[in-house]
Amino acid sequence: MSKELIIKTQELSSQKVSICVPVVASTVDSVLQQVTNCVEASVPMIELRADYFDFLEDRDVLEDTLRRVAEITDSTMVLFTIRTDVEGGEIAIAEELYRDIISFVSTTGYVDIIDLEISHVDDAADFINILHNNGAYVLASHHDFHETPELLDMIDLYGQMHNTGADILKLAVMPNTRDDVVRSLQAANMVNEEIEDALICSISMGSLGKVSRIAGSLVGSCISFAALDAASAPGQLSYDDMNTIIKILEK
């Protein structure tokens, strides 16, 4: 079963992994420089890790920075993420402020996809409907940096995210054994076959889970994260290495 989203001139597909490079920077200048580096490297998607921004709560600066990013990323997909400390990010943030910033960003029209940690908002489905009405695609996410849940528990997590109406369902887990990696891929494959109206993104983190980052297309995972400079999560490959491997696998 093939599922696609067309964003700008790029295609997100259950048949092909698109590489996303996180922009991990704190100042406006460093953010813009990293974005420029990604565009020059022909990266198809960037993730603005806003939990690193030292200007996150300054709406004027944030909006102007997003505008400038949009000018640079003419055909590059832009994912906006505030990764909370609870799910491995850099910021402890109250739900009200988290929602306010994300809602504001969705109204600017400067980003294409917004990451929403479903455990961080009480009424995720209603909130996602608002984001959709503002013109943004939504990636619902859940991260477990400690373990890989049992198969049925992961399927249930995908189901919870799917029930919110999100466009992309991301589950990132930490394997402690090789069986954990296989089980994560199995869950992704089963969910991809069952769900017709959403794409998935499946990741096993850490060194043990590296194979999941390049084998995503086998189970319908549409996005894999790689580092152009500094890695934003354990086990991330470099963009050049991942791009090379994926091109070889697609031959």
Side-chain angles (χ1 to χ4, degrees):
M1 181 189 306
S2 178
K3 295 170 282 188
E4 295 84 23
L5 280 179
I6 306 299
I7 301 176
K8 294 178 176 175
T9 61
Q10 305 286 347
E11 178 186 67
L12 286 180
S13 171
S14 59
Q15 300 295 313
K16 178 182 178 181
V17 173
S18 293
I19 303 174
C20 180
V21 170
V23 171
V24 180
S26 60
T27 67
V28 172
D29 287 344
S30 57
V31 167
L32 296 176
Q33 184 59 62
Q34 285 194 29
V35 170
T36 299
N37 293 343
C38 288
V39 171
E40 290 177 348
S42 300
V43 172
M45 176 188 289
I46 61 168
E47 178 185 34
L48 297 177
R49 281 292 301 272
D51 46 304
Y52 283 87
F53 293 178
D54 61 13
F55 52 91
L56 180 61
E57 296 183 40
D58 188 325
R59 290 200 174 187
D60 289 339
V61 177
L62 178 61
E63 182 175 16
D64 185 63
T65 302
L66 295 178
R67 177 189 60 79
R68 295 168 71 182
V69 167
E71 290 174 352
I72 298 170
T73 56
D74 182 47
S75 61
T76 305
M77 294 178 283
V78 179
L79 167 64
F80 180 88
T81 298
I82 302 173
R83 183 67 63 236
T84 70
D85 61 338
V86 177
E87 298 208 12
E90 295 296 307
I91 189 172
I93 185 170
E95 178 185 346
E96 183 177 0
L97 180 57
Y98 178 80
R99 292 168 61 102
D100 284 349
I101 295 173
I102 286 177
S103 180
F104 169 71
V105 168
S106 73
T107 66
T108 66
Y110 294 140
V111 304
D112 305 302
I113 309 169
I114 293 178
D115 180 296
L116 186 72
E117 296 178 4
I118 60 166
S119 64
H120 207 62
V121 291
D122 289 332
D123 54 346
D126 290 339
F127 189 49
I128 286 175
N129 189 52
I130 293 172
L131 300 180
H132 279 156
N133 288 337
N134 289 340
Y137 291 102
V138 179
L139 181 152
S141 65
H142 178 83
H143 301 74
D144 189 329
F145 278 78
H146 303 290
E147 62 180 1
T148 298
E150 294 302 317
L151 179 64
L152 292 180
D153 292 332
M154 283 189 283
I155 292 174
D156 182 62
L157 284 168
Y158 277 116
Q160 291 177 39
M161 291 188 284
H162 181 236
N163 289 339
T164 67
D167 306 286
I168 307 165
L169 320 175
K170 178 188 177 186
L171 179 60
V173 296
M174 183 63 74
N176 295 303
T177 68
R178 287 177 291 182
D179 286 344
D180 287 346
V181 179
V182 173
R183 190 167 69 255
S184 175
L185 290 169
Q186 182 182 7
N189 189 56
M190 292 174 67
V191 170
N192 180 58
E193 290 297 321
E194 293 174 4
I195 292 177
E196 298 183 358
D197 57 350
L199 291 163
I200 66 168
C201 172
S202 171
I203 300 171
S204 280
M205 295 181 283
S207 181
L208 197 59
K210 283 183 179 180
V211 65
S212 73
R213 296 180 180 273
I214 60 174
S217 59
L218 294 176
V219 296
S221 185
C222 68
I223 303 171
S224 192
F225 294 80
L228 198 64
D229 297 309
S232 65
Q236 275 185 3
L237 299 171
S238 73
Y239 173 72
D240 287 341
D241 285 348
M242 181 174 288
N243 197 35
T244 298
I245 293 169
I246 288 176
K247 284 183 177 178
I248 291 172
L249 293 176
E250 289 176 349
K251 286 183 177 180

